[in-house]
Structure formats: C-alpha cells, structure tokens
C-alpha cells in the first residue's frame, strides 16, 4: 500500500478496536485527526451515513464508490490510492498538502469498520462505471 506505516498501523488499530467493541476509542479518533487532518471528521461522517459502496465484478475487480457530501458519486481505488474528486487532484497530487481526500479515507475506515455497502455488477457494468469517470474528467 502507499500509505505511511503510521497511517497503516492506525487503521489496523481502528479495525481491531471496532471488532472488539463496535466503536472507535477517543485516542484513535485523535490519532486519525492528527495524521489525516481536516479529512478525518468528514470521512467519519461519510462512513456513518453509509456512503461507501464496494463494487465488485465476477472477475474479482473491485472499486469503491463514495457518495460525497455534495451528492456527487466519486470512484475510489484503494489498491492504488486514487480518487476522482477535485480535492484529491488538488490537495493530494498537486500540492501534497494531504495524504488523501475524505473519500479514500472513508473507504479505508469503512473497510476497517465493516461498514461498506456491497454491490455486485457485471463486467460490462464495471466497464461502464470506469468509462463514465473517464468522460467526466475529459
């Protein structure tokens, strides 16, 4: 993965704590805010509102869709640490101000908390999702 070791460890701790007690302790929430800055609270909101969907095709290819606070659907790839939102392009890629945007953080948190919606699609539907993203960017 492309996350720093300290971020990976924090997400592991959150997963472990959530499996044991179904909530995230305050010290881990503070760690989340410290490491991920202003993305932490909005990402937790997205998880609480069940805005993260794991989309899986029969081939095993997987992507995530996150319904952003603006009502727009963003496509995230946790495997390569990428999101289609403007904040990712600007704050993460261009300025290197953030490790990731709130949408990818929401994906990682929803994985840790087992809070992903699940959607199975055909290979053709997955291709259409990917092509629709390309048209949006073009």
């Amino acid at each position: 993965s492309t996350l720093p070791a300290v971020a990976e460890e924090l997400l592991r701790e959150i997963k472990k704590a959530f499996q044991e007690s179904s909530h995230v302790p305050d010290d881990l929430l503070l760690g989340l805010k410290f490491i991920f800055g202003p993305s932490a609270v909005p990402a937790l909101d997205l998880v609480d509102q069940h805005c993260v969907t794991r989309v899986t095709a029969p081939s095993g290819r997987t992507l995530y869709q996150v319904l952003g606070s603006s009502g727009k659907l963003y496509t995230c790839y946790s495997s390569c640490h990428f999101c289609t939102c403007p904040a990712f392009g600007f704050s993460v890629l261009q300025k290197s101000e953030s490790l990731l945007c709130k949408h990818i953080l929401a994906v990682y948190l929803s994985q840790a908390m087992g809070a992903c919606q699940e959607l199975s699609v055909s290979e053709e539907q997955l291709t259409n999702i990917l092509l629709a993203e390309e048209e949006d960017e073009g």
Side-chain angles (χ1 to χ4, degrees):
S1 181
T2 55
L3 284 178
V6 66
E8 292 273 352
E9 181 59 28
L10 177 63
L11 290 167
R12 272 194 295 276
E13 289 292 317
I14 288 172
K15 180 175 186 170
K16 184 176 169 219
F18 199 82
Q19 285 172 337
E20 290 170 2
S21 66
S22 294
H23 86 283
V24 180
D26 289 348
D27 61 327
L28 294 180
L29 290 174
L30 285 172
L32 202 63
K33 190 139 176 55
F34 181 76
I35 292 173
F36 296 106
S39 299
V41 172
L44 285 165
D45 285 343
L46 291 171
V47 174
D48 284 345
Q49 295 168 26
H50 304 287
C51 293
V52 179
T53 303
R54 183 169 68 173
V55 181
T56 310
S59 64
R61 291 190 305 164
T62 300
L63 58 84
Y64 291 83
Q65 289 192 312
V66 180
L67 184 61
S69 49
S70 65
K72 182 160 174 26
L73 203 57
Y74 297 107
T75 302
C76 299
Y77 308 91
S78 62
S79 58
C80 63
H81 189 74
F82 181 82
C83 179
T84 57
C85 77
F88 183 83
F90 187 71
S91 298
V92 179
L93 296 179
Q94 283 182 347
K95 293 212 158 200
S96 298
E97 291 174 342
S98 307
L99 281 174
L100 35 75
C101 66
K102 67 183 178 184
H103 308 110
I104 294 180
L105 182 53
V107 166
Y108 290 134
L109 290 170
S110 66
Q111 288 172 333
M113 298 177 194
C116 282
Q117 312 270 17
E118 297 288 337
L119 178 65
S120 294
V121 298
S122 68
E123 295 297 331
E124 185 180 349
Q125 288 169 311
L126 188 73
T127 300
N128 289 338
I129 291 169
L130 297 172
L131 290 176
E133 286 300 336
E134 229 174 61
E135 285 171 15
D136 285 352
E137 291 165 19

